Amino acid sequence: MFIDRVKIFIQSGKGGNGAVSFRREKYVPNGGPDGGDGGDGGSIIFQVDPGMNTLMNFRHKKHYKAQSGEDGGKKRRHGKNGEDLIIKVPPGTIIREAETGKVMLDLTEENERKVLLPGGKGGKGNQHFATSTRQAPRYAEKGKEGQSYWVILELKVIADIGLVGFPNVGKSTLLSVISNAQPKIANYHFTTISPNLGVVKNPYGRDFVVADIPGLIEGAHKGIGLGHDFLRHVERTKILVHVVDAASLENRNPLEDVEKINHELSEYNKELLTRPQIIAANKIDIPEAEENIELLKEKFEPEGIKVVPISAATKKGIKELLIEISKLLEKEDKNPIKFKEEFELFQETKKEEVKEPFTIEKLEEHYFVVEGTGVEKMIGYTNLESEKGFAFFQKYLKERGIIKALEEKGIKEGDTVRIYDLEFEYYK
């Protein structure tokens, strides 16, 4: 089954917490801190698998989570890093952030491998926070959380040439004639529901990949029928070949068909009309085709769109078509069309925005005690003997809401505030 659009949840691993531990050995009763660091969380990695051509593997499994890092341990033991999770996708897969629709990754190269969500960093153990004035820190750093998103995987086939046209105009037959593809061919009024790809060994220029885009219908740009499912596969093609029934066997007007297809392409994505175009006027083995071919040339060749009469059934005109395609391909970049990555990732929270918890206790009249990991860290980091350091510490207390919380507890000027082993007098 061909599946080309799925929604999944991805989450990188959380970093392990740093450990709070102290060296305890015989003859070393007051050993220093020896808490180890937490391991890093596993990352979410996407890798192109050239053997895949559908997103069917994601149809039933929707959640993908990388392993979290282990916590640090005693004796400076570093926690084990979490294992990365590698998610394999077909070439041509675009990954969009589900809420905004913005492109996060576009994977086109064979075996291309990219980290989309890095794992959270492991926290540092208390061994890192010892200073000359604070030799026994009883805190460690928590591991950072991993990142998580709902994302949409969208497969857009990678092809140099896109065959477009209404159902039953001969696209599948043409594909089978010029390439190694073997699509099912029959005179049906309905169409295939997935694009067929073929490699063309071109004696008149460079080889290329051609895609038979399933038959479009009017209103496709609005999603009518399977419109969006079909149109997304046109977006990577560099040259569009309109296949029309020049003989009008089913009362279709080939001139109107080209205009209708271009209208659908434009309404879906205006940029598609900037791609070079060729009209393959099919079924010239039928006499009724001659008049329409002249009308097609009169209408479109002045617009720079070459009309090439062909018969996919008898292979007449195939050489001329390949030559025209080769001329246009020479002007095109050989690399696949890629979509700009527009979603900004890896925006870590700034340190000053992190709200670490604290407690305030009123032990007696005019005496308050403040405790909390962040406050203790700040004391360990800051030189309170300097005017600049003390001002920085006061700013920290204000920004964290500690001053406001003390005022809500009823603190007055002249009251004492103890923060671990330091005491301060409060002044408004």
Side-chain angles (χ1 to χ4, degrees), residues 1 34 40 42-43 50 76 83 103 123 166 181 211 223 233 252 289 292 300 305 310 345 361 378 406 409 418:
M1 181 181 292
D34 68 350
D40 294 340
S43 299
R76 303 176 185 266
E83 289 188 13
V103 175
F166 284 95
H233 296 292
R252 297 202 66 91
N292 280 331
F300 293 106
I305 301 175
I310 68 165
L345 288 168
E361 186 178 359
M378 185 56 65
L406 283 166
K409 286 278 189 180
R418 191 182 85 207

Side-chain angles (χ1 to χ4, degrees), residues 177-400:
V177 167
I178 65 175
S179 76
N180 61 355
Q182 295 180 325
K184 292 180 179 178
I185 300 169
N187 187 29
Y188 295 147
H189 291 275
F190 54 85
T191 183
T192 53
I193 60 172
S194 64
N196 288 303
L197 289 177
V199 177
V200 177
K201 299 297 182 182
N202 185 10
Y204 313 106
R206 78 179 196 228
D207 296 344
F208 58 86
V209 177
V210 61
D212 167 17
I213 307 300
L216 299 174
I217 61 174
E218 291 179 69
H221 71 275
K222 298 177 181 177
I224 294 175
L226 294 175
H228 288 171
D229 295 331
F230 295 158
L231 284 164
R232 77 167 58 99
H233 296 292
V234 184
E235 291 188 278
R236 285 200 200 273
T237 56
K238 299 170 183 175
I239 296 169
L240 298 175
V241 176
H242 287 269
V243 183
V244 295
D245 176 4
S248 299
L249 292 183
E250 299 182 16
N251 297 316
R252 297 202 66 91
N253 184 321
L255 284 79
E256 290 181 1
D257 282 0
V258 174
E259 291 178 335
K260 287 175 180 177
I261 291 293
N262 277 340
H263 174 73
E264 296 302 324
L265 296 175
S266 175
E267 290 296 308
Y268 179 73
N269 181 351
K270 284 184 169 53
E271 195 273 332
L272 291 174
L273 289 193
T274 66
R275 311 274 168 89
Q277 296 187 8
I278 297 174
I279 296 174
N282 193 24
K283 305 183 182 179
I284 60 168
D285 49 310
I286 299 170
E288 288 81 359
E290 189 173 340
E291 182 181 349
N292 280 331
I293 288 169
E294 292 308 312
L295 292 173
L296 285 165
K297 287 183 177 182
E298 288 176 15
K299 167 69 177 173
F300 293 106
E301 290 197 340
E303 299 176 14
I305 301 175
K306 183 74 174 178
V307 177
V308 183
I310 68 165
S311 170
T314 66
K315 301 185 181 179
K316 186 177 180 180
I318 297 301
K319 174 183 175 180
E320 289 75 14
L321 178 61
L322 292 178
I323 289 173
E324 291 301 323
I325 289 173
S326 298
K327 288 178 183 178
L328 293 180
L329 271 180
E330 284 303 311
K331 303 174 185 177
E332 298 296 316
D333 189 346
K334 292 184 179 181
N335 296 316
I337 293 174
K338 287 185 76 79
F339 290 79
K340 183 180 178 182
E341 294 167 7
E342 53 195 356
F343 188 86
E344 293 185 12
L345 288 168
F346 321 139
Q347 297 175 338
E348 291 189 1
T349 307
K350 295 179 181 178
K351 286 184 179 178
E352 63 266 27
E353 293 174 349
V354 176
K355 300 289 186 182
E356 293 182 297
F358 60 86
T359 61
I360 296 177
E361 186 178 359
K362 185 176 182 180
L363 292 185
E364 56 188 67
E365 194 67 25
H366 310 302
Y367 195 86
F368 298 79
V369 176
V370 176
E371 290 186 337
T373 303
V375 189
E376 187 178 3
K377 282 183 188 177
M378 185 56 65
I379 290 175
Y381 293 152
T382 309
N383 179 10
L384 298 178
E385 299 300 320
S386 74
E387 184 178 343
K388 184 177 180 181
F390 193 73
F392 182 76
F393 182 62
Q394 288 187 90
K395 182 182 178 184
Y396 171 88
L397 295 177
K398 184 176 181 180
E399 289 181 348
R400 288 301 175 276

Side-chain angles (χ1 to χ4, degrees), residues 112-175:
E112 186 176 3
R113 177 183 171 121
K114 285 191 177 181
V115 176
L116 181 57
L117 303 183
K121 294 292 292 181
K124 293 180 179 179
N126 69 335
Q127 60 172 309
H128 295 281
F129 300 107
T131 67
S132 58
T133 57
R134 180 161 296 277
Q135 298 181 4
R138 296 186 176 277
Y139 54 83
E141 193 176 40
K142 289 185 176 180
K144 292 194 183 327
E145 295 292 333
Q147 300 185 60
S148 62
Y149 292 94
W150 278 98
V151 297
I152 292 171
L153 307 187
E154 198 172 77
L155 177 59
K156 299 178 189 288
V157 297
I158 299 175
D160 302 294
I161 310 299
L163 303 181
V164 295
F166 284 95
N168 207 31
V169 294
K171 297 194 310 299
S172 296
T173 303
L174 177 59
L175 178 68

